[in-house]
Amino acid sequence: MRYDPPRPAGRLLLTPEDKEAPERTRRLGQLRLGEDADPDLDAYADRLAGVTGAPYAMVTFIDVNRQFFAGLHLPDVAPPVARPDGSTPVLGRELPRDHGFCPHVVVRRKALVLEDVCDYPRFAGNPVVDEFGIRSYLGAPLIDSTGTVLGTVCVADVEPRPWGRPGLETIKSSAAELVARIERREADGLPLL
């Protein structure tokens, strides 16, 4: 399932250039990640949502053109945003690279804390703000032992959130834990997660 909202004419998207995308795509293929939903990663996202109290949690793998949510936790209620026709958007497993905040985390190679995305012009104009009403974000990169940033673990909320140092430590330790699990599986020659 893919969500690809219409782009308003003249909207400036400020997604950073990702020079590591070809190498990441190769590495994800080698690990067999980023093409299919994974029930274990969904359970991982569910646990992350529970720990943080966030309505959205994702394990995201990013290739040259898109973001894929191999692990996804969605809120039980629809987002607080309605389209002009009255329908509400539904987040699927895939987003374009220029939507959301995970591509910024991948290029920065470090965690990103946005307590209120509207405080940052660069992020306030992102399509997920308009389409899903996302107001806060917390994400950390998944960096494996080869130095490749595979993607992110992240949470998001439709309300501003003071994530603070505890939130930052939680998301960073979650990313480190997940990378360790991925690498153990790879070393043991087992199907990943």
Side-chain angles (χ1 to χ4, degrees), residues 7-8 74 101 117 130 139 141 144-145 154 159 179 190:
R7 212 176 270 177
L74 297 174
F101 313 108
V117 298
D130 295 339
D144 73 2
S145 60
C154 65
E159 299 291 332
V179 167
L190 299 171

Tab-separated table of all heavy atoms in Angstrom, residues 7-8 74 101 117 130 139 141 144-145 154 159 179 190:
chain	number	residue	atom	x	y	z
A	7	ARG	N	0.771	17.060	-4.406
A	7	ARG	CA	1.713	18.072	-3.948
A	7	ARG	C	1.211	19.449	-4.375
A	7	ARG	O	0.998	19.674	-5.552
A	7	ARG	CB	3.059	17.806	-4.603
A	7	ARG	CG	4.207	18.183	-3.751
A	7	ARG	CD	5.473	17.810	-4.419
A	7	ARG	NE	5.821	16.462	-4.032
A	7	ARG	CZ	6.858	15.820	-4.492
A	7	ARG	NH1	7.641	16.366	-5.362
A	7	ARG	NH2	7.110	14.611	-4.083
A	8	PRO	N	1.004	20.359	-3.436
A	8	PRO	CA	0.554	21.693	-3.814
A	8	PRO	C	1.558	22.358	-4.754
A	8	PRO	O	2.764	22.221	-4.587
A	8	PRO	CB	0.478	22.454	-2.484
A	8	PRO	CG	0.421	21.390	-1.437
A	8	PRO	CD	1.140	20.200	-2.002
A	74	LEU	N	0.013	2.052	14.296
A	74	LEU	CA	-0.886	3.169	13.989
A	74	LEU	C	-1.844	3.408	15.140
A	74	LEU	O	-2.178	2.482	15.887
A	74	LEU	CB	-1.695	2.869	12.727
A	74	LEU	CG	-0.897	2.706	11.441
A	74	LEU	CD1	-1.810	2.261	10.306
A	74	LEU	CD2	-0.186	3.994	11.086
A	101	PHE	N	10.099	12.916	8.344
A	101	PHE	CA	11.319	13.417	8.956
A	101	PHE	C	12.455	12.401	8.956
A	101	PHE	O	13.610	12.759	9.193
A	101	PHE	CB	11.013	13.879	10.386
A	101	PHE	CG	9.778	14.741	10.436
A	101	PHE	CD1	8.596	14.270	10.978
A	101	PHE	CD2	9.791	16.012	9.894
A	101	PHE	CE1	7.451	15.055	10.997
A	101	PHE	CE2	8.655	16.816	9.902
A	101	PHE	CZ	7.478	16.333	10.457
A	117	VAL	N	6.792	20.459	15.582
A	117	VAL	CA	7.327	20.683	14.243
A	117	VAL	C	7.002	22.075	13.725
A	117	VAL	O	7.742	22.617	12.899
A	117	VAL	CB	6.857	19.614	13.237
A	117	VAL	CG1	7.340	18.237	13.646
A	117	VAL	CG2	5.361	19.634	13.045
A	130	ASP	N	0.578	18.390	7.153
A	130	ASP	CA	-0.721	18.738	6.571
A	130	ASP	C	-1.653	17.532	6.456
A	130	ASP	O	-2.832	17.625	6.762
A	130	ASP	CB	-0.537	19.348	5.178
A	130	ASP	CG	0.208	20.672	5.210
A	130	ASP	OD1	0.229	21.315	6.275
A	130	ASP	OD2	0.776	21.045	4.171
A	139	GLY	N	13.148	10.492	16.420
A	139	GLY	CA	13.691	9.386	15.637
A	139	GLY	C	15.192	9.259	15.787
A	139	GLY	O	15.886	10.243	16.070
A	141	PRO	N	18.756	7.009	14.013
A	141	PRO	CA	19.202	6.202	12.883
A	141	PRO	C	19.567	4.776	13.294
A	141	PRO	O	20.013	4.532	14.417
A	141	PRO	CB	20.447	6.951	12.390
A	141	PRO	CG	20.978	7.624	13.609
A	141	PRO	CD	19.760	7.981	14.433
A	144	ASP	N	24.471	0.260	11.105
A	144	ASP	CA	25.039	-1.064	11.343
A	144	ASP	C	26.563	-1.003	11.441
A	144	ASP	O	27.167	0.069	11.324
A	144	ASP	CB	24.552	-2.065	10.294
A	144	ASP	CG	25.170	-1.889	8.915
A	144	ASP	OD1	26.041	-1.007	8.721
A	144	ASP	OD2	24.790	-2.658	8.013
A	145	SER	N	27.189	-2.148	11.653
A	145	SER	CA	28.639	-2.192	11.875
A	145	SER	C	29.431	-1.864	10.616
A	145	SER	O	30.635	-1.596	10.707
A	145	SER	CB	29.050	-3.565	12.413
A	145	SER	OG	28.700	-4.570	11.483
A	154	CYS	N	11.360	5.394	14.935
A	154	CYS	CA	10.821	6.703	15.266
A	154	CYS	C	9.415	6.593	15.829
A	154	CYS	O	8.743	5.573	15.670
A	154	CYS	CB	10.815	7.613	14.047
A	154	CYS	SG	9.706	7.060	12.737
A	159	GLU	N	0.091	15.778	18.727
A	159	GLU	CA	0.168	16.873	19.700
A	159	GLU	C	1.638	17.204	19.927
A	159	GLU	O	2.496	16.325	19.837
A	159	GLU	CB	-0.447	16.448	21.043
A	159	GLU	CG	-1.899	16.063	20.988
A	159	GLU	CD	-2.805	17.242	20.713
A	159	GLU	OE1	-2.434	18.381	21.077
A	159	GLU	OE2	-3.873	17.027	20.131
A	179	VAL	N	19.482	-2.681	15.822
A	179	VAL	CA	20.646	-2.974	14.975
A	179	VAL	C	21.352	-4.228	15.479
A	179	VAL	O	21.742	-5.092	14.687
A	179	VAL	CB	21.616	-1.770	14.919
A	179	VAL	CG1	22.956	-2.177	14.311
A	179	VAL	CG2	21.003	-0.632	14.124
A	190	LEU	N	20.342	-16.520	9.808
A	190	LEU	CA	18.905	-16.732	9.979
A	190	LEU	C	18.114	-15.690	9.204
A	190	LEU	O	18.619	-14.610	8.922
A	190	LEU	CB	18.526	-16.632	11.465
A	190	LEU	CG	19.187	-17.654	12.388
A	190	LEU	CD1	18.891	-17.308	13.827
A	190	LEU	CD2	18.712	-19.043	12.047
